[in-house]
Amino acid sequence: MLTLVRTESLLRRRMGLAAVGMGGFTILWTASSFLLAGPRYGYGPAGIGLFGLAGVVGAAAAVVAGRFADRGHGRQVATWGLVLLTGSWGVLALAGTGGPGGLVALIAGIMALNLAQQALLISHQSALYRRVPHARSRVTTALMVSAFAGSTVSSALASALYPRVGWAGVCALGAAIALIGVGIWVLELRRPSPFEPLADPSATVDARAVCDGPAATPGRACAHPKETAHA
């Protein structure tokens, strides 16, 4: 896995975006529990938990993003995912006003942010599975490690900042992290990473073993890499 991270700029950039997406997701759910339990809303644990249903709706809508990615539009999915992720924090900031309007803003922001996060994840998997189809497990592990690292750091920041800067300050933090993702994506658009499928290194090794190994068939003609290169 470390070799892939070192050699594949596409993987490194997508790992950064995975950290950004999961970081925003964690900031939302960490800080929203403080907001909803506070004096503006006064919800208990059961009421706060019901807001998770809005996230489910947003995640379910990501099926559309998956269809676009399957049709070869993964980069557009990532672009719109980052636009939605960044914009969702502006909507969520309105939730700090309280009242029915604040609740509507919170629910809309939760749906938008969850859709954005899921769309980004789908885009990452689509691009990386195409680039390294022989290393899907390692790619998924790298993405998950990066995502949970972003989640851990963001949760700690949200918990530490909320008592000091309140909901508006935490929304500003979420927007700033989203803009880091936008910066990573602008770099990718200006200097695209290689995206053509890589050959499986083990396939070459297996081919040589068939030709040169103890089980090689006598008299069988095999094309070695050097011979193929000069052909």
Side-chain angles (χ1 to χ4, degrees):
M1 185 181 76
L2 293 179
T3 300
L4 279 175
V5 174
R6 186 178 67 253
T7 59
E8 290 296 318
S9 60
L10 179 64
L11 177 56
R12 293 194 299 273
R13 291 172 183 177
R14 295 289 182 157
M15 287 174 66
L17 291 176
V20 165
M22 185 59 76
F25 179 86
T26 306
I27 288 172
L28 168 63
W29 290 110
T30 300
S32 63
S33 61
F34 298 148
L35 175 69
L36 291 170
R40 284 192 179 89
Y41 295 102
Y43 283 97
I48 294 172
L50 289 175
F51 282 84
L53 295 175
V56 172
V57 172
V63 172
V64 178
R67 290 174 182 169
F68 273 99
D70 289 342
R71 294 171 183 170
H73 304 298
R75 292 171 74 83
Q76 289 88 336
V77 170
T79 298
W80 285 108
L82 285 165
V83 170
L84 189 58
L85 179 67
T86 306
S88 67
W89 287 108
V91 177
L92 286 166
L94 300 176
T97 59
L103 275 179
V104 170
L106 180 61
I107 292 171
I110 288 173
M111 292 174 64
L113 191 144
N114 276 266
L115 172 57
Q117 198 267 341
Q118 290 295 324
L120 286 170
L121 180 58
I122 289 168
S123 173
H124 304 333
Q125 292 174 325
S126 176
L128 290 169
Y129 291 172
R130 182 178 185 274
R131 174 64 174 166
V132 281
H134 56 277
R136 292 189 175 192
S137 296
R138 283 175 284 166
V139 162
T140 302
T141 300
L143 281 177
M144 292 301 102
V145 168
S146 179
F148 280 108
S151 175
T152 300
V153 172
S154 297
S155 178
L157 287 173
S159 299
L161 287 176
Y162 190 89
R164 295 174 174 83
V165 299
W167 178 253
V170 170
C171 287
L173 170 65
I177 290 176
L179 288 174
I180 292 174
V182 172
I184 295 172
W185 191 240
V186 169
L187 177 62
E188 173 62 22
L189 293 177
R190 290 191 173 186
R191 298 180 181 177
S193 302
F195 60 88
E196 298 84 0
L198 284 175
D200 185 354
S202 65
T204 303
V205 174
D206 291 343
R208 292 181 65 89
V210 169
C211 293
D212 301 334
T217 304
R220 177 180 176 181
C222 291
H224 290 280
K226 291 183 178 180
E227 295 171 354
T228 303
H230 290 293

